Structures are given as C-alpha cells and as structure tokens.
Amino acid sequence: MSKSAIWTPELDAVIASPKNHKVILENDKVRVLEITLLPNETENLHHHKWPSVIYIPEGNDFVDYDGEGNILIDSRKLTNPPVYPIVIYNDNDTLHQTKNVSKTKSIRLIRVEMKR
C-alpha cells in the first residue's frame, strides 16, 4: 500500500480523478490504468494504493504537486530531461496531482498497479 498517511478509498485515482484515470484491465493481481491529461489540464488530487510500473510512450512538460500544493517535480526544470519512451517503477505514491503544462499536447500513459 502507498506510504500515504492514511489510505482513503475516496482518494483512489479512479474515484477521485475518473476523467483522467480509466481502468482498462483489473483482476485480483493487477489493475491497469490508462491515464490522460489534456493540454493545460490538472487532474484531481488522488493517490495510488499499490506499487506500479508506468509506461510513458512520449512526453511533454508537466508539474506534479503533493497534497499540500508543493511542487514535487517540474519537468521544465530537470537538468537531465527524460528520453522517451520510458518505463518507471514506482514503489509507492503519496497524495498528488499532475498538471499538463503544454498548451497543445495531451499526456498519455499506462500504469500497471500490482495488487500482490
């Protein structure tokens, strides 16, 4: 489970931010999400319960905020921008929300959450 202080089902990504998080497969072992943020869109505050693997086929600039509104990552300020496509393992995910700062390109990714 996430290292968030308290797991609250209403802040699960699919419940708290359903416009951006779509379940494309779920069983007792995994939940696979397709995540989309339109240009200049900010998703609702949420968290993820399970460790995950995230596949990002192509990227553009984003800002990720914690539950208090502090910037966790601003991709425009990275000294070594990622080379896409990328695959990331995420052991835990605290309360956060992401803003797509592009005015023209959507952000799309696949997140595989491992329930066991």
Side-chain angles (χ1 to χ4, degrees), residues 12 23 28 42 50 76 82 88 98 104 107-108 114-115:
D12 178 77
V23 176
D28 62 332
T42 303
W50 302 287
R76 298 167 296 184
I88 301 166
T98 302
T104 59
I107 294 174
R108 287 191 173 84
M114 295 162 282
K115 294 181 174 182

Side-chain angles (χ1 to χ4, degrees), residues 13-14 17-23 33-36 43 46 48:
V14 174
S17 191
K19 179 181 176 196
N20 306 101
H21 297 79
K22 305 290 182 208
V23 176
L33 304 177
E34 178 181 39
I35 302 167
T36 305
E43 63 187 353
H46 66 279
H48 300 269

Side-chain angles (χ1 to χ4, degrees), residues 1 49-53 89-92 112-115:
M1 183 159 81
K49 186 175 184 178
W50 302 287
S52 61
V53 173
Y89 175 78
N90 194 345
D91 195 30
N92 63 56
V112 179
E113 299 176 326
M114 295 162 282
K115 294 181 174 182

Side-chain angles (χ1 to χ4, degrees), residues 27-63:
N27 59 36
D28 62 332
K29 297 176 185 165
V30 298
R31 179 170 76 169
V32 181
L33 304 177
E34 178 181 39
I35 302 167
T36 305
L37 282 102
L38 299 176
N40 207 39
E41 181 177 28
T42 303
E43 63 187 353
N44 294 334
L45 195 63
H46 66 279
H47 55 183
H48 300 269
K49 186 175 184 178
W50 302 287
S52 61
V53 173
I54 304 167
Y55 170 66
I56 309 169
E58 60 182 64
N60 52 265
D61 288 325
F62 67 91
V63 179

Side-chain angles (χ1 to χ4, degrees), residues 83-113:
V83 177
Y84 296 93
I86 60 174
V87 177
I88 301 166
Y89 175 78
N90 194 345
D91 195 30
N92 63 56
D93 216 350
T94 59
L95 201 57
H96 72 278
Q97 67 186 142
T98 302
K99 177 176 183 167
N100 178 355
V101 295
S102 171
K103 296 190 183 330
T104 59
K105 291 179 68 176
S106 293
I107 294 174
R108 287 191 173 84
L109 57 103
I110 300 294
R111 182 179 195 124
V112 179
E113 299 176 326

